[in-house]
Amino acid sequence: MSLNQMFFKRLTLACALLVLLTGCSAISDLLPKSAERNVLSGREGTNGPVLAVKIDDTNAAHPQIGLEDADVVYIEQVEGGLTRLAAIFSSVIPERVGPVRSARISDIDILSQYGRVAFAYSGAQRKLLPVIDAANLQNLGAQAQPPSIYTTDPNRIQPFAMVLRADLLMAKVIEKNYQITSANNVGWSFGDAPQGGKPTQSVIMHWPAARYSAEWSETESRWLLSHNSKSNVADSGIVLGPTTLVIQMVSITDSEYKDKVGGVTPLSQTVGSGRGFILRDGKSYAALWNRASEGVGTTWTLRDGSEIKFAPGQIWVALTDKEPDFTYLSASAKATKTK
């Protein structure tokens, strides 16, 4: 008998004896553990408390900080047809996130499906602040936090210089025993792509004063983003891009809120149902979304009612009321533009 055979025979006998002595399955403790996966993104990481951060998305705010660690990123329309981001963190909390900007009324409905989140933002319109206070979230805006948490980046100009020390903010959450919801399912799940789908090279998403494009990278297995025709490179040097890109067609209407110069704040309606597109694995799928109420997640299905599973990895959700422009790949792999 070889030394290896003797070792495994003795290990088996030892495990069996341990099971008899303890009455539990000790063998399983000796087997490799599978890595924990975050339920929001499907990638490796913990299902920790949910942190939501509002991030500026104007040209002057780029490169943004920490977005590569977000599990989910929402693109929202704000005043003047510009966009702003709501980044959701759970599997990883980066040290710095920014530049941080103010909250909007659309955030309330978007975040409510995640439970009681830690909400970080630079401020809000006076009329909106009591609405935020009354919502089911932990209000951790800059107006009530020290400059050691909401820092000023000396290499940036105002109002694009506020950077959140997310690690310190979440340490305070623990210290103060704030009751923050840990990551839980918000409507989608992960698995193999459905049958069909259109092979897609790229897509352009539109807002009145902003646009994003996403191009499929076969080598990186994700959609590489550009913002206003420039590659969307983070402060770390990483090109931002999700594994699953969601284009959610929503109703965008004027709200009762206005910014400090009188611009009307738009409201993106994310409760209800509608259509959209799911992009994963180099293909796009025409899809339907449904969200019955504020406290439940958003489900995505094909037109026959079957679930569209997402690809594990970061998710970006573009909330828009304008049709995207796709560049599809034909059977001969030549790009074909279509509306």
Side-chain angles (χ1 to χ4, degrees), residues 232-255:
N232 200 8
V233 180
D235 187 70
S236 63
I238 295 173
V239 178
L240 297 172
T243 307
T244 301
L245 174 60
V246 178
I247 303 174
Q248 186 172 353
M249 307 299 295
V250 297
S251 172
I252 301 178
T253 57
D254 290 347
S255 75

Side-chain angles (χ1 to χ4, degrees), residues 13 38 77 83 103 125-126 199 201 214 228 238 245-246 270 288 302 323 332:
L13 289 172
N38 182 269
Q77 183 174 321
T83 54
Q125 301 158 30
R126 183 175 301 175
Q201 176 181 316
N228 291 340
I238 295 173
L245 174 60
V246 178
T270 56
L288 300 173
L302 295 172
E323 291 293 329
S332 60

Side-chain angles (χ1 to χ4, degrees), residues 76-149:
E76 308 173 41
Q77 183 174 321
V78 293
E79 298 83 6
L82 295 168
T83 54
R84 191 161 289 181
L85 306 181
I88 310 296
F89 299 88
S90 172
S91 61
V92 175
I93 302 296
E95 179 180 299
R96 301 168 72 240
V97 179
V100 179
R101 289 302 297 270
S102 53
R104 292 295 184 268
I105 185 60
S106 295
D107 299 325
I108 305 300
D109 279 350
I110 291 171
L111 299 181
S112 61
Q113 60 194 311
Y114 289 88
R116 188 173 179 81
V117 305
F119 187 31
Y121 60 101
S122 66
Q125 301 158 30
R126 183 175 301 175
K127 190 176 180 180
L128 182 59
L129 284 172
V131 178
I132 295 173
D133 284 334
N136 181 33
L137 52 80
Q138 186 66 50
N139 186 349
L140 297 173
Q143 65 272 14
Q145 305 300 324
S148 58
I149 290 180

Side-chain angles (χ1 to χ4, degrees), residues 198-221:
K198 292 185 177 181
T200 301
Q201 176 181 316
S202 62
V203 62
I204 300 174
M205 297 156 281
H206 305 273
W207 292 265
R211 73 181 218 167
Y212 269 87
S213 62
E215 184 162 358
W216 176 247
S217 170
E218 192 70 38
T219 56
E220 297 191 33
S221 297

